[in-house]
């Protein structure tokens, strides 16, 4: 949220909020910071319509709150499911990290198609530990929108 505020203040274009947004509270927070939209990647992977293998979806559902890993790969930080792939990252010499991250990106896309979750990078933001059900995508969008609007109306009606 701190980075989002800084980017919105500095950017001279629409900014989309992403990372950990899975319900109306995240939507309301993003709108309150003047975000132009939001990305709910992990939440939308866990929908009935998403063409991700059931085993991969289940690995995301099984994460406990705070149970994913924060990894530094190349110039980015990502959250991922703990598995054979992520446990081997600490053993890589620094000069191999770039080629390894390219390899992981390729295997990550294969993971979602094939369901091989042990040998690939399964990206799972912190909200994965809070999501416990696979729902229809339309229900997820409605839940996020209605929940966010309810929160914003409640805030608007309060006297501070």
């Amino acid at each position: 949220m701190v980075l989002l505020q800084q980017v919105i203040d500095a950017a001279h274009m629409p900014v989309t909020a992403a990372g950990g947004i899975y319900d109306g509270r995240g939507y309301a927070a993003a709108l309150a910071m003047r975000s132009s939209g939001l990305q709910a990647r992990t939440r939308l992977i866990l929908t009935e319509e998403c063409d991700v293998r059931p085993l991969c979806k289940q690995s995301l559902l099984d994460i406990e709150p705070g149970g994913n890993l924060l990894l530094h790969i190349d110039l980015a930080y990502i959250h991922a499911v703990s598995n054979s792939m992520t446990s081997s990252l600490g053993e890589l010499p620094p000069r191999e990290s770039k080629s390894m991250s390219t390899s992981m990106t390729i295997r990550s896309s294969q993971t979602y198609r094939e369901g091989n979750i042990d040998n690939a990078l399964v990206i799972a933001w912190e909200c994965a530990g809070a999501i416990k059900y696979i729902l229809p995508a339309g229900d997820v969008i409605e839940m996020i929108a209605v929940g966010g609007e309810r929160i914003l109306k409640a805030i608007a009606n309060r006297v501070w």
Side-chain angles (χ1 to χ4, degrees):
M1 290 293 167
V2 173
L3 180 59
L4 177 61
Q5 293 172 56
Q6 293 173 7
V7 171
I8 288 171
D9 288 344
H12 301 288
M13 63 184 70
V15 175
T16 299
I21 299 172
Y22 67 98
D23 66 6
R25 294 171 295 179
Y27 176 56
L31 288 179
M33 286 188 268
R34 299 185 341 260
S35 173
S36 299
L38 66 97
Q39 175 184 335
R41 180 186 175 276
T42 301
R43 185 61 197 104
L44 291 174
I45 287 173
L46 293 170
T47 61
E48 293 174 1
E49 294 85 351
C50 184
D51 189 24
V52 168
R53 297 288 183 174
L55 186 59
C56 190
K57 287 183 183 183
Q58 191 61 50
S59 72
L60 296 175
L61 289 172
D62 290 343
I63 294 174
E64 294 295 324
N68 57 356
L69 304 170
L70 178 62
L71 303 173
H72 182 232
I73 299 174
D74 288 342
L75 300 176
Y77 286 93
I78 61 167
H79 291 266
V81 172
S82 178
N83 60 17
S84 296
M85 167 65 74
T86 57
S87 66
S88 68
L89 292 177
E91 303 166 13
L92 290 174
R95 66 184 176 281
E96 292 183 33
S97 65
K98 185 168 182 62
S99 62
M100 183 62 170
S101 66
T102 301
S103 169
M104 284 189 300
T105 301
I106 292 166
R107 285 198 276 182
S108 180
S109 63
Q110 290 172 342
T111 296
Y112 293 113
R113 286 193 311 273
E114 299 168 6
N116 177 8
I117 62 167
D118 198 44
N119 269 337
L121 184 65
V122 180
I123 297 170
W125 294 102
E126 292 176 278
C127 65
I131 301 168
K132 297 299 176 196
Y133 302 102
I134 294 174
L135 299 169
D139 291 355
V140 169
I141 299 299
E142 183 176 354
M143 176 187 69
I144 290 172
V146 170
E149 288 178 21
R150 188 177 307 129
I151 290 168
L152 292 173
K153 285 179 185 175
I155 291 170
N157 292 326
R158 288 191 176 161
V159 177
W160 297 99

